[in-house]
Amino acid sequence: MQTIRTPSVLRQMVQSIKARGKTIGFVPTMGALHQGHLSLIDIAKKQCDYCITSIFVNPKQFAAHEDFEGYPRDVATDLEVLKSKQVHIAFIPQGDVIYPEDFSIHIATGAIGQVLEGVSRPHFFDGVALIVTKLFHLVQPDVAVFGEKDYQQLHIIRQLVKDFNFPVNIVSGPIVREEDGLAMSSRNVYLVPMQRRVAPLLYRTLEKIRVFLLRDKPVNDVLAQAKKTLLEGGFTKVDYIEVRDAHTLAPLESLTSSARILAAAYLGNTRLLDNLYIEF
Ligand code: AMP
């Protein structure tokens, strides 16, 4: 595995891979790697000749009050993990390499970035779109793999690729969960044991919503009950819990198409994110 820290060296490597007619699969991450990330690497490796993984905690997608400074970082362990996964290139740039002092241009994701996650994190997806754009230019992947764990992000990246004509095939990987159902996340390390015990209730609640909706119970009643269940079960705050069209993320008036239940809820200061499909 090559560990690369600068765009110029990365560019040389990418050019030499392309010159040999080989394909590149790309998995962007913020590090603190877990099985969820590794499942995406497996997909990239299966689909392409070379796998490039980036580790970069992107400051542009954190608001001032969020956890940029405290975000879990363990690059040494991550590099060992990537090496054992036989990733070909790990790209681990420093902040000022990606965003030098005179960096100026930004991307606005528009309406799709303002709903669900975007309500409490209004600039989050603009920051995501910016880093993904930069990384796509640097890595020039044939395939980029993103997790369904961040379902709205996946949707927005597909739109970004379409709107900006990136020659990249976006592939998604299913959510990898702990045995008790909790979706794996780098932020799960924030949970103290009491919170960790409560955390799987989020997934169990999504599953219950699915069962009730498939039995034709009214959406609003089911969601109100779900919110109550989470709050009574120990969650401190429910940011949103909604049912949306799985393909467009438009609000669903009736459950006639494939749907996705999406939720974000707090355990103390830790915000958990999860989602589940409903196939009709
Ligand atoms: P992050 O490092 O949190 O920015 O995530 C990097 C990539 O891993 C994104 O495409 C995420 O959607 C994906 N990911 C994070 N957690 C999981 C999970 N539990 N299962 C599958 N993919 C995940």
Side-chain angles (χ1 to χ4, degrees), residues 27-31 34 36-37 39-40 61 71 145-150 153 173-177 183-186:
V27 180
T29 81
M30 298 208 300
H34 51 67
H37 297 115
S39 70
L40 306 183
Q61 69 191 65
Y71 191 83
V145 193
F146 290 86
E148 288 181 1
K149 162 79 171 28
D150 300 280
Q153 171 173 284
I175 301 176
V176 178
R177 300 180 179 280
M184 289 193 184
S185 163
S186 304

Side-chain angles (χ1 to χ4, degrees), residues 2 5 17 19 65 69 77 86 91-92 101 105 170 198 208 213 250 263:
Q2 305 255 4
R5 292 162 203 275
I17 292 170
H65 65 278
E69 293 300 336
T77 305
Q86 296 180 313
F91 181 51
I92 51 165
E101 222 169 89
I105 309 288
I170 301 299
V198 172
K208 263 195 202 146
L213 293 182

Side-chain angles (χ1 to χ4, degrees), residues 14-169:
V14 165
Q15 273 167 2
S16 102
I17 292 170
K18 300 239 166 209
R20 283 180 280 126
K22 303 290 185 191
T23 55
I24 295 175
F26 178 44
V27 180
T29 81
M30 298 208 300
L33 299 177
H34 51 67
Q35 290 300 326
H37 297 115
L38 303 189
S39 70
L40 306 183
I41 289 172
D42 287 337
I43 294 172
K45 288 192 69 172
K46 232 174 250 162
Q47 298 207 2
C48 295
D49 301 313
Y50 282 80
C51 176
I52 301 182
T53 301
S54 62
I55 298 174
F56 181 68
V57 184
N58 175 35
K60 302 275 186 204
Q61 69 191 65
F62 288 78
H65 65 278
E66 291 179 341
D67 57 344
F68 174 70
E69 293 300 336
Y71 191 83
R73 290 170 172 87
D74 188 355
V75 176
T77 305
D78 286 348
L79 289 176
E80 285 305 314
V81 170
L82 293 180
K83 212 183 281 173
S84 69
K85 283 302 278 184
Q86 296 180 313
V87 163
H88 300 90
I89 296 175
F91 181 51
I92 51 165
Q94 290 291 316
D96 57 356
V97 168
I98 295 295
Y99 300 118
E101 222 169 89
D102 61 349
F103 188 86
S104 174
I105 309 288
H106 287 81
I107 294 177
T109 47
I112 55 172
Q114 298 303 311
V115 295
L116 299 166
E117 284 297 286
V119 173
S120 55
R121 311 182 77 188
H123 302 293
F124 172 69
F125 288 115
D126 297 351
V128 170
L130 183 61
I131 190 62
V132 169
T133 296
K134 284 189 64 105
L135 290 170
F136 279 4
H137 282 307
L138 293 169
V139 175
Q140 298 177 43
D142 298 276
V143 168
V145 193
F146 290 86
E148 288 181 1
K149 162 79 171 28
D150 300 280
Y151 197 78
Q152 188 181 4
Q153 171 173 284
L154 176 64
H155 177 71
I156 288 174
I157 285 162
R158 288 193 198 282
Q159 187 75 40
L160 175 78
V161 162
K162 183 165 169 278
D163 286 358
F164 284 8
N165 304 96
F166 280 107
V168 181
N169 181 18

